[in-house]
Amino acid sequence: MVRAFENPTGETIRIVAPWGEEQVGGPDCMIVSAYDPEKPSVLSEDRYIVGRQEFEETYGAPVELPAERVREPHPLTNNASIEIDDGLSVSL
């Protein structure tokens, strides 16, 4: 299972993938992290960029959680950052 969110920047983003290489995602990409359904509050520290089309082919269309099921801080925002193509860095 994965938790995912849409690229919040609307720009091309770059991250360093868990295997140490740069991943690039377009404005409509998804940022994903795996989790164990038996321990849903524990997310993998690994983050991946997945193209929107590839995401939907693999997982289906994204489903937005109702506000009452979203906790702050968002679990995908811990210790991750993305870089927008113009060199700005965004912490997630």
Side-chain angles (χ1 to χ4, degrees):
M1 302 280 300
V2 298
R3 292 217 173 111
F5 68 96
E6 296 173 336
N7 173 356
T9 69
E11 306 279 337
T12 297
I13 59 173
R14 302 169 185 278
I15 66 169
V16 176
W19 56 89
E21 294 178 8
E22 184 176 78
Q23 266 193 308
V24 179
D28 67 342
C29 73
M30 302 294 289
I31 302 168
V32 302
S33 182
Y35 74 97
D36 180 345
E38 295 193 22
K39 298 177 187 174
S41 64
V42 179
L43 281 179
S44 167
E45 292 183 11
D46 294 340
R47 307 297 193 263
Y48 303 90
I49 291 177
V50 178
R52 173 62 69 126
Q53 181 177 347
E54 293 81 3
F55 182 89
E56 290 184 5
E57 288 171 359
T58 303
Y59 303 105
V63 176
E64 189 169 332
L65 290 176
E68 62 271 7
R69 293 197 51 208
V70 177
R71 292 178 287 149
E72 294 296 332
H74 191 285
L76 287 178
T77 62
N78 296 332
N79 303 317
S81 66
I82 57 175
E83 186 176 312
I84 303 171
D85 255 1
D86 64 6
L88 296 174
S89 184
V90 177
S91 294
L92 300 174

